[in-house]
Amino acid sequence: MGYDEIRGIGGAIGLVMLFIGFIGVIAYALWPGNRNRFDRAAQLPLEDDAPNGDMPRKERPSK
């Protein structure tokens, strides 16, 4: 077995692993149980109040 054959097998294994990872990420993002989590995360930038109790950004005094 030469270098080129090992490199080809390694490339094929890497491609399959990346494809499986991609499918896993897509499945996680589209899983019905995660919908509420992603909906809440999507609304965070639109909220006026800071989550740690600080003043909202629009009411902070300018420096």
Short mmCIF file of all heavy atoms in Angstrom, two decimals:
data_model
loop_
_atom_site.label_atom_id
_atom_site.label_comp_id
_atom_site.label_asym_id
_atom_site.label_seq_id
_atom_site.Cartn_x
_atom_site.Cartn_y
_atom_site.Cartn_z
N MET A 1 0.85 -1.17 0.00
CA MET A 1 0.00 0.00 0.00
C MET A 1 0.90 1.24 0.00
O MET A 1 1.69 1.44 0.91
CB MET A 1 -0.88 -0.02 1.25
CG MET A 1 -2.28 0.35 1.00
SD MET A 1 -3.23 0.27 2.53
CE MET A 1 -4.80 0.28 1.79
N GLY A 2 0.72 2.07 -0.99
CA GLY A 2 1.55 3.26 -1.11
C GLY A 2 0.88 4.48 -0.50
O GLY A 2 -0.25 4.45 -0.02
N TYR A 3 1.64 5.56 -0.55
CA TYR A 3 1.17 6.82 0.02
C TYR A 3 -0.12 7.29 -0.65
O TYR A 3 -1.04 7.76 0.04
CB TYR A 3 2.27 7.88 -0.13
CG TYR A 3 1.81 9.27 0.24
CD1 TYR A 3 1.66 9.63 1.57
CD2 TYR A 3 1.50 10.21 -0.74
CE1 TYR A 3 1.24 10.90 1.92
CE2 TYR A 3 1.07 11.47 -0.40
CZ TYR A 3 0.94 11.82 0.93
OH TYR A 3 0.51 13.06 1.26
N ASP A 4 -0.19 7.20 -1.95
CA ASP A 4 -1.38 7.69 -2.67
C ASP A 4 -2.64 6.92 -2.29
O ASP A 4 -3.72 7.51 -2.16
CB ASP A 4 -1.16 7.58 -4.18
CG ASP A 4 -0.14 8.58 -4.69
OD1 ASP A 4 0.01 9.65 -4.04
OD2 ASP A 4 0.51 8.30 -5.72
N GLU A 5 -2.50 5.61 -2.08
CA GLU A 5 -3.67 4.82 -1.68
C GLU A 5 -4.13 5.18 -0.27
O GLU A 5 -5.32 5.30 -0.01
CB GLU A 5 -3.33 3.33 -1.77
CG GLU A 5 -3.07 2.87 -3.19
CD GLU A 5 -2.32 1.56 -3.25
OE1 GLU A 5 -1.72 1.19 -2.23
OE2 GLU A 5 -2.35 0.93 -4.31
N ILE A 6 -3.16 5.34 0.62
CA ILE A 6 -3.51 5.71 2.01
C ILE A 6 -4.14 7.10 2.03
O ILE A 6 -5.10 7.34 2.74
CB ILE A 6 -2.26 5.64 2.90
CG1 ILE A 6 -1.81 4.18 3.05
CG2 ILE A 6 -2.54 6.24 4.28
CD1 ILE A 6 -0.49 4.01 3.76
N ARG A 7 -3.58 8.03 1.24
CA ARG A 7 -4.14 9.37 1.17
C ARG A 7 -5.56 9.35 0.62
O ARG A 7 -6.44 10.07 1.09
CB ARG A 7 -3.26 10.25 0.29
CG ARG A 7 -3.62 11.72 0.41
CD ARG A 7 -2.78 12.54 -0.50
NE ARG A 7 -3.40 12.45 -1.83
CZ ARG A 7 -2.89 12.99 -2.91
NH1 ARG A 7 -1.75 13.62 -2.88
NH2 ARG A 7 -3.52 12.89 -4.05
N GLY A 8 -5.82 8.52 -0.35
CA GLY A 8 -7.17 8.40 -0.92
C GLY A 8 -8.16 7.85 0.08
O GLY A 8 -9.28 8.35 0.20
N ILE A 9 -7.75 6.82 0.82
CA ILE A 9 -8.63 6.25 1.84
C ILE A 9 -8.89 7.27 2.95
O ILE A 9 -10.03 7.43 3.41
CB ILE A 9 -8.02 4.94 2.39
CG1 ILE A 9 -8.02 3.87 1.31
CG2 ILE A 9 -8.78 4.47 3.62
CD1 ILE A 9 -7.23 2.63 1.68
N GLY A 10 -7.83 7.97 3.36
CA GLY A 10 -8.00 8.99 4.40
C GLY A 10 -8.93 10.11 3.96
O GLY A 10 -9.75 10.60 4.73
N GLY A 11 -8.80 10.50 2.70
CA GLY A 11 -9.69 11.54 2.18
C GLY A 11 -11.13 11.09 2.14
O GLY A 11 -12.05 11.85 2.46
N ALA A 12 -11.33 9.84 1.75
CA ALA A 12 -12.70 9.30 1.70
C ALA A 12 -13.30 9.21 3.10
O ALA A 12 -14.47 9.56 3.31
CB ALA A 12 -12.70 7.93 1.03
N ILE A 13 -12.51 8.74 4.06
CA ILE A 13 -12.99 8.66 5.44
C ILE A 13 -13.31 10.05 5.98
O ILE A 13 -14.33 10.26 6.64
CB ILE A 13 -11.97 7.91 6.32
CG1 ILE A 13 -11.91 6.45 5.93
CG2 ILE A 13 -12.31 8.06 7.80
CD1 ILE A 13 -10.80 5.67 6.59
N GLY A 14 -12.44 11.01 5.69
CA GLY A 14 -12.70 12.38 6.13
C GLY A 14 -13.97 12.95 5.53
O GLY A 14 -14.75 13.62 6.21
N LEU A 15 -14.20 12.69 4.26
CA LEU A 15 -15.41 13.17 3.60
C LEU A 15 -16.66 12.57 4.23
O LEU A 15 -17.64 13.28 4.49
CB LEU A 15 -15.36 12.83 2.11
CG LEU A 15 -16.58 13.24 1.29
CD1 LEU A 15 -16.72 14.76 1.29
CD2 LEU A 15 -16.45 12.71 -0.13
N VAL A 16 -16.61 11.27 4.51
CA VAL A 16 -17.76 10.61 5.14
C VAL A 16 -18.01 11.17 6.53
O VAL A 16 -19.15 11.43 6.92
CB VAL A 16 -17.54 9.08 5.18
CG1 VAL A 16 -18.57 8.40 6.05
CG2 VAL A 16 -17.58 8.51 3.77
N MET A 17 -16.93 11.42 7.29
CA MET A 17 -17.10 11.97 8.65
C MET A 17 -17.69 13.38 8.60
O MET A 17 -18.56 13.73 9.41
CB MET A 17 -15.77 11.97 9.38
CG MET A 17 -15.30 10.57 9.74
SD MET A 17 -13.66 10.53 10.49
CE MET A 17 -13.97 11.43 11.99
N LEU A 18 -17.23 14.20 7.68
CA LEU A 18 -17.78 15.55 7.54
C LEU A 18 -19.25 15.50 7.12
O LEU A 18 -20.07 16.29 7.61
CB LEU A 18 -16.98 16.36 6.53
CG LEU A 18 -15.64 16.86 7.03
CD1 LEU A 18 -14.84 17.49 5.90
CD2 LEU A 18 -15.83 17.86 8.14
N PHE A 19 -19.60 14.60 6.24
CA PHE A 19 -20.99 14.46 5.81
C PHE A 19 -21.87 14.03 6.97
O PHE A 19 -22.96 14.58 7.16
CB PHE A 19 -21.08 13.46 4.65
CG PHE A 19 -22.46 13.31 4.11
CD1 PHE A 19 -23.04 14.33 3.37
CD2 PHE A 19 -23.20 12.17 4.34
CE1 PHE A 19 -24.33 14.21 2.87
CE2 PHE A 19 -24.49 12.03 3.85
CZ PHE A 19 -25.05 13.05 3.11
N ILE A 20 -21.42 13.07 7.77
CA ILE A 20 -22.18 12.63 8.93
C ILE A 20 -22.34 13.77 9.94
O ILE A 20 -23.42 13.98 10.49
CB ILE A 20 -21.52 11.40 9.58
CG1 ILE A 20 -21.68 10.19 8.67
CG2 ILE A 20 -22.10 11.11 10.96
CD1 ILE A 20 -20.87 8.98 9.09
N GLY A 21 -21.28 14.55 10.15
CA GLY A 21 -21.38 15.71 11.03
C GLY A 21 -22.36 16.74 10.52
O GLY A 21 -23.14 17.32 11.28
N PHE A 22 -22.34 16.99 9.22
CA PHE A 22 -23.27 17.95 8.61
C PHE A 22 -24.71 17.50 8.80
O PHE A 22 -25.57 18.29 9.19
CB PHE A 22 -22.93 18.10 7.12
CG PHE A 22 -23.90 18.96 6.38
CD1 PHE A 22 -23.86 20.34 6.52
CD2 PHE A 22 -24.85 18.41 5.53
CE1 PHE A 22 -24.76 21.14 5.83
CE2 PHE A 22 -25.74 19.19 4.84
CZ PHE A 22 -25.69 20.57 4.99
N ILE A 23 -24.97 16.22 8.55
CA ILE A 23 -26.32 15.68 8.73
C ILE A 23 -26.73 15.79 10.20
O ILE A 23 -27.88 16.12 10.52
CB ILE A 23 -26.40 14.22 8.25
CG1 ILE A 23 -26.15 14.15 6.74
CG2 ILE A 23 -27.72 13.57 8.60
CD1 ILE A 23 -27.15 14.91 5.90
N GLY A 24 -25.79 15.57 11.12
CA GLY A 24 -26.09 15.70 12.55
C GLY A 24 -26.47 17.11 12.93
O GLY A 24 -27.41 17.33 13.70
N VAL A 25 -25.75 18.09 12.41
CA VAL A 25 -26.06 19.49 12.72
C VAL A 25 -27.43 19.87 12.15
O VAL A 25 -28.23 20.54 12.82
CB VAL A 25 -24.96 20.42 12.17
CG1 VAL A 25 -25.38 21.88 12.21
CG2 VAL A 25 -23.67 20.22 12.96
N ILE A 26 -27.72 19.46 10.95
CA ILE A 26 -29.02 19.76 10.34
C ILE A 26 -30.14 19.08 11.13
O ILE A 26 -31.18 19.70 11.40
CB ILE A 26 -29.05 19.30 8.86
CG1 ILE A 26 -28.04 20.09 8.04
CG2 ILE A 26 -30.44 19.42 8.27
CD1 ILE A 26 -28.29 21.57 7.99
N ALA A 27 -29.94 17.84 11.55
CA ALA A 27 -30.96 17.13 12.33
C ALA A 27 -31.18 17.84 13.66
O ALA A 27 -32.32 18.00 14.11
CB ALA A 27 -30.54 15.68 12.56
N TYR A 28 -30.11 18.30 14.31
CA TYR A 28 -30.25 19.01 15.59
C TYR A 28 -31.02 20.32 15.40
O TYR A 28 -31.89 20.65 16.20
CB TYR A 28 -28.86 19.31 16.17
CG TYR A 28 -28.91 20.16 17.40
CD1 TYR A 28 -29.28 19.62 18.63
CD2 TYR A 28 -28.59 21.51 17.36
CE1 TYR A 28 -29.33 20.40 19.77
CE2 TYR A 28 -28.63 22.29 18.48
CZ TYR A 28 -29.00 21.73 19.69
OH TYR A 28 -29.05 22.52 20.82
N ALA A 29 -30.71 21.04 14.34
CA ALA A 29 -31.37 22.32 14.12
C ALA A 29 -32.85 22.16 13.76
O ALA A 29 -33.66 23.02 14.11
CB ALA A 29 -30.66 23.08 13.00
N LEU A 30 -33.20 21.08 13.11
CA LEU A 30 -34.59 20.89 12.67
C LEU A 30 -35.39 19.98 13.60
O LEU A 30 -36.56 19.74 13.34
CB LEU A 30 -34.60 20.32 11.25
CG LEU A 30 -33.99 21.24 10.19
CD1 LEU A 30 -34.00 20.55 8.83
CD2 LEU A 30 -34.70 22.57 10.12
N TRP A 31 -34.78 19.47 14.66
CA TRP A 31 -35.48 18.59 15.59
C TRP A 31 -36.62 19.35 16.25
O TRP A 31 -36.43 20.46 16.75
CB TRP A 31 -34.50 18.09 16.64
CG TRP A 31 -34.94 16.83 17.30
CD1 TRP A 31 -35.55 16.73 18.50
CD2 TRP A 31 -34.83 15.51 16.79
NE1 TRP A 31 -35.81 15.42 18.78
CE2 TRP A 31 -35.38 14.64 17.75
CE3 TRP A 31 -34.31 14.98 15.62
CZ2 TRP A 31 -35.42 13.27 17.55
CZ3 TRP A 31 -34.35 13.63 15.44
CH2 TRP A 31 -34.91 12.79 16.40
N PRO A 32 -37.83 18.80 16.26
CA PRO A 32 -38.98 19.53 16.79
C PRO A 32 -38.83 19.96 18.26
O PRO A 32 -39.35 21.00 18.65
CB PRO A 32 -40.13 18.53 16.65
CG PRO A 32 -39.71 17.60 15.58
CD PRO A 32 -38.21 17.51 15.67
N GLY A 33 -38.12 19.21 19.06
CA GLY A 33 -37.95 19.56 20.47
C GLY A 33 -37.11 20.80 20.70
O GLY A 33 -37.14 21.39 21.78
N ASN A 34 -36.34 21.22 19.72
CA ASN A 34 -35.47 22.40 19.86
C ASN A 34 -36.13 23.68 19.37
O ASN A 34 -35.53 24.74 19.44
CB ASN A 34 -34.17 22.18 19.10
CG ASN A 34 -33.33 21.11 19.72
OD1 ASN A 34 -33.37 20.89 20.93
ND2 ASN A 34 -32.54 20.41 18.90
N ARG A 35 -37.34 23.60 18.88
CA ARG A 35 -37.99 24.78 18.29
C ARG A 35 -38.13 25.92 19.29
O ARG A 35 -37.81 27.07 18.96
CB ARG A 35 -39.35 24.38 17.73
CG ARG A 35 -40.04 25.54 17.05
CD ARG A 35 -41.41 25.14 16.53
NE ARG A 35 -41.88 26.20 15.66
CZ ARG A 35 -41.98 26.08 14.36
NH1 ARG A 35 -41.67 24.96 13.77
NH2 ARG A 35 -42.40 27.09 13.63
N ASN A 36 -38.60 25.64 20.51
CA ASN A 36 -38.78 26.71 21.50
C ASN A 36 -37.46 27.36 21.86
O ASN A 36 -37.37 28.57 22.01
CB ASN A 36 -39.45 26.16 22.76
CG ASN A 36 -40.89 25.78 22.52
OD1 ASN A 36 -41.52 26.31 21.60
ND2 ASN A 36 -41.41 24.85 23.31
N ARG A 37 -36.41 26.57 21.99
CA ARG A 37 -35.09 27.11 22.33
C ARG A 37 -34.61 28.07 21.25
O ARG A 37 -34.12 29.16 21.54
CB ARG A 37 -34.10 25.96 22.49
CG ARG A 37 -32.72 26.40 22.85
CD ARG A 37 -31.75 25.25 22.91
NE ARG A 37 -32.27 24.20 23.77
CZ ARG A 37 -31.79 22.99 23.82
NH1 ARG A 37 -30.78 22.64 23.07
NH2 ARG A 37 -32.31 22.08 24.62
N PHE A 38 -34.75 27.69 19.99
CA PHE A 38 -34.31 28.55 18.90
C PHE A 38 -35.21 29.77 18.74
O PHE A 38 -34.73 30.86 18.38
CB PHE A 38 -34.22 27.76 17.60
CG PHE A 38 -33.10 26.75 17.58
CD1 PHE A 38 -33.31 25.47 17.14
CD2 PHE A 38 -31.83 27.10 18.01
CE1 PHE A 38 -32.28 24.54 17.11
CE2 PHE A 38 -30.80 26.19 17.99
CZ PHE A 38 -31.02 24.91 17.54
N ASP A 39 -36.50 29.62 18.99
CA ASP A 39 -37.39 30.78 18.92
C ASP A 39 -37.03 31.81 19.99
O ASP A 39 -37.01 33.01 19.72
CB ASP A 39 -38.85 30.35 19.08
CG ASP A 39 -39.39 29.67 17.83
OD1 ASP A 39 -38.78 29.83 16.75
OD2 ASP A 39 -40.43 28.98 17.94
N ARG A 40 -36.75 31.34 21.22
CA ARG A 40 -36.33 32.26 22.29
C ARG A 40 -35.01 32.94 21.94
O ARG A 40 -34.85 34.15 22.14
CB ARG A 40 -36.19 31.53 23.62
CG ARG A 40 -37.50 31.38 24.35
CD ARG A 40 -37.29 30.81 25.74
NE ARG A 40 -37.14 29.35 25.62
CZ ARG A 40 -36.11 28.66 26.07
NH1 ARG A 40 -35.14 29.25 26.72
NH2 ARG A 40 -36.05 27.35 25.90
N ALA A 41 -34.07 32.19 21.41
CA ALA A 41 -32.77 32.76 21.04
C ALA A 41 -32.92 33.79 19.92
O ALA A 41 -32.21 34.79 19.88
CB ALA A 41 -31.81 31.66 20.62
N ALA A 42 -33.86 33.57 19.02
CA ALA A 42 -34.08 34.51 17.91
C ALA A 42 -34.66 35.83 18.40
O ALA A 42 -34.44 36.87 17.80
CB ALA A 42 -34.99 33.90 16.87
N GLN A 43 -35.39 35.81 19.52
CA GLN A 43 -36.02 37.02 20.03
C GLN A 43 -35.11 37.82 20.97
O GLN A 43 -35.40 38.96 21.27
CB GLN A 43 -37.31 36.66 20.77
CG GLN A 43 -38.38 36.09 19.86
CD GLN A 43 -38.77 37.04 18.74
OE1 GLN A 43 -38.93 38.23 18.96
NE2 GLN A 43 -38.88 36.51 17.54
N LEU A 44 -34.01 37.25 21.42
CA LEU A 44 -33.13 37.93 22.37
C LEU A 44 -32.64 39.30 21.88
O LEU A 44 -32.66 40.26 22.65
CB LEU A 44 -31.95 37.04 22.74
CG LEU A 44 -32.24 35.96 23.76
CD1 LEU A 44 -31.01 35.09 23.95
CD2 LEU A 44 -32.67 36.54 25.08
N PRO A 45 -32.20 39.45 20.64
CA PRO A 45 -31.73 40.77 20.22
C PRO A 45 -32.83 41.83 20.19
O PRO A 45 -32.54 43.03 20.21
CB PRO A 45 -31.20 40.53 18.80
CG PRO A 45 -30.98 39.08 18.71
CD PRO A 45 -31.95 38.44 19.63
N LEU A 46 -34.08 41.41 20.16
CA LEU A 46 -35.18 42.36 20.07
C LEU A 46 -35.71 42.80 21.42
O LEU A 46 -36.52 43.72 21.50
CB LEU A 46 -36.32 41.73 19.26
CG LEU A 46 -35.95 41.26 17.85
CD1 LEU A 46 -37.12 40.56 17.20
CD2 LEU A 46 -35.45 42.41 17.01
N GLU A 47 -35.26 42.17 22.50
CA GLU A 47 -35.75 42.52 23.83
C GLU A 47 -35.10 43.82 24.30
O GLU A 47 -33.93 44.08 24.03
CB GLU A 47 -35.42 41.41 24.82
CG GLU A 47 -36.22 40.15 24.57
CD GLU A 47 -35.89 39.05 25.56
OE1 GLU A 47 -35.08 39.30 26.48
OE2 GLU A 47 -36.44 37.96 25.40
N ASP A 48 -35.88 44.64 25.02
CA ASP A 48 -35.37 45.91 25.52
C ASP A 48 -34.55 45.74 26.79
O ASP A 48 -33.58 46.45 27.00
CB ASP A 48 -36.53 46.87 25.80
CG ASP A 48 -37.12 47.43 24.53
OD1 ASP A 48 -36.42 47.43 23.51
OD2 ASP A 48 -38.28 47.85 24.56
N ASP A 49 -34.96 44.84 27.66
CA ASP A 49 -34.27 44.69 28.93
C ASP A 49 -33.05 43.79 28.80
O ASP A 49 -33.11 42.75 28.15
CB ASP A 49 -35.21 44.09 29.98
CG ASP A 49 -36.36 45.01 30.30
OD1 ASP A 49 -36.20 46.24 30.16
OD2 ASP A 49 -37.41 44.50 30.69
N ALA A 50 -31.98 44.19 29.45
CA ALA A 50 -30.79 43.35 29.47
C ALA A 50 -31.05 42.17 30.40
O ALA A 50 -31.70 42.33 31.44
CB ALA A 50 -29.60 44.15 29.94
N PRO A 51 -30.57 40.99 30.10
CA PRO A 51 -30.87 39.83 30.93
C PRO A 51 -30.27 39.88 32.33
O PRO A 51 -30.76 39.23 33.23
CB PRO A 51 -30.28 38.67 30.13
CG PRO A 51 -29.32 39.27 29.18
CD PRO A 51 -29.78 40.67 28.95
N ASN A 52 -29.23 40.69 32.56
CA ASN A 52 -28.61 40.74 33.89
C ASN A 52 -29.15 41.88 34.75
O ASN A 52 -28.59 42.18 35.79
CB ASN A 52 -27.09 40.82 33.76
CG ASN A 52 -26.65 42.06 33.01
OD1 ASN A 52 -27.48 42.86 32.60
ND2 ASN A 52 -25.37 42.21 32.81
N GLY A 53 -30.20 42.55 34.33
CA GLY A 53 -30.83 43.58 35.14
C GLY A 53 -30.27 44.98 34.93
O GLY A 53 -30.67 45.91 35.61
N ASP A 54 -29.33 45.15 34.02
CA ASP A 54 -28.81 46.49 33.74
C ASP A 54 -29.88 47.32 33.04
O ASP A 54 -30.92 46.82 32.64
CB ASP A 54 -27.59 46.41 32.81
CG ASP A 54 -26.37 45.87 33.53
OD1 ASP A 54 -26.36 45.89 34.77
OD2 ASP A 54 -25.44 45.43 32.84
N MET A 55 -29.59 48.59 32.89
CA MET A 55 -30.51 49.45 32.16
C MET A 55 -30.59 49.01 30.71
O MET A 55 -29.60 48.54 30.16
CB MET A 55 -29.96 50.88 32.16
CG MET A 55 -30.37 51.73 33.28
SD MET A 55 -30.02 53.40 32.73
CE MET A 55 -29.46 54.11 34.19
N PRO A 56 -31.73 49.16 30.10
CA PRO A 56 -31.79 48.89 28.65
C PRO A 56 -30.82 49.79 27.91
O PRO A 56 -30.50 50.90 28.35
CB PRO A 56 -33.23 49.23 28.29
CG PRO A 56 -33.98 49.14 29.57
CD PRO A 56 -33.01 49.51 30.65
N ARG A 57 -30.34 49.34 26.80
CA ARG A 57 -29.31 50.05 26.07
C ARG A 57 -29.75 51.47 25.66
O ARG A 57 -28.99 52.41 25.73
CB ARG A 57 -28.93 49.25 24.82
CG ARG A 57 -27.75 49.81 24.10
CD ARG A 57 -27.36 48.91 22.98
NE ARG A 57 -26.86 47.67 23.56
CZ ARG A 57 -26.29 46.70 22.88
NH1 ARG A 57 -26.17 46.83 21.58
NH2 ARG A 57 -25.88 45.62 23.46
N LYS A 58 -31.02 51.63 25.28
CA LYS A 58 -31.46 52.95 24.81
C LYS A 58 -31.59 53.96 25.95
O LYS A 58 -31.61 55.14 25.71
CB LYS A 58 -32.78 52.83 24.04
CG LYS A 58 -33.92 52.32 24.85
CD LYS A 58 -35.15 52.17 23.99
CE LYS A 58 -36.29 51.58 24.79
NZ LYS A 58 -37.46 51.38 23.99
N GLU A 59 -31.66 53.50 27.21
CA GLU A 59 -31.78 54.41 28.33
C GLU A 59 -30.45 54.67 29.04
O GLU A 59 -30.40 55.44 29.97
CB GLU A 59 -32.78 53.85 29.34
CG GLU A 59 -34.20 53.77 28.79
CD GLU A 59 -35.15 53.16 29.79
OE1 GLU A 59 -34.78 53.01 30.96
OE2 GLU A 59 -36.27 52.84 29.40
N ARG A 60 -29.38 54.04 28.62
CA ARG A 60 -28.09 54.24 29.26
C ARG A 60 -27.57 55.63 28.91
O ARG A 60 -27.70 56.09 27.77
CB ARG A 60 -27.08 53.20 28.79
CG ARG A 60 -27.37 51.83 29.29
CD ARG A 60 -26.31 50.87 28.83
NE ARG A 60 -26.72 49.52 29.21
CZ ARG A 60 -26.25 48.43 28.67
NH1 ARG A 60 -25.35 48.50 27.73
NH2 ARG A 60 -26.67 47.26 29.06
N PRO A 61 -26.98 56.28 29.88
CA PRO A 61 -26.40 57.59 29.56
C PRO A 61 -25.21 57.43 28.62
O PRO A 61 -24.45 56.48 28.72
CB PRO A 61 -25.94 58.13 30.92
CG PRO A 61 -25.95 56.98 31.84
CD PRO A 61 -26.84 55.93 31.26
N SER A 62 -25.08 58.36 27.71
CA SER A 62 -23.96 58.28 26.76
C SER A 62 -22.69 58.76 27.45
O SER A 62 -22.73 59.61 28.33
CB SER A 62 -24.24 59.11 25.51
OG SER A 62 -24.45 60.45 25.89
N LYS A 63 -21.57 58.23 27.01
CA LYS A 63 -20.29 58.60 27.64
C LYS A 63 -19.64 59.70 26.88
O LYS A 63 -19.71 59.91 25.75
CB LYS A 63 -19.37 57.38 27.67
CG LYS A 63 -19.90 56.34 28.60
CD LYS A 63 -18.94 55.17 28.65
CE LYS A 63 -19.48 54.11 29.59
NZ LYS A 63 -18.65 52.96 29.69
#
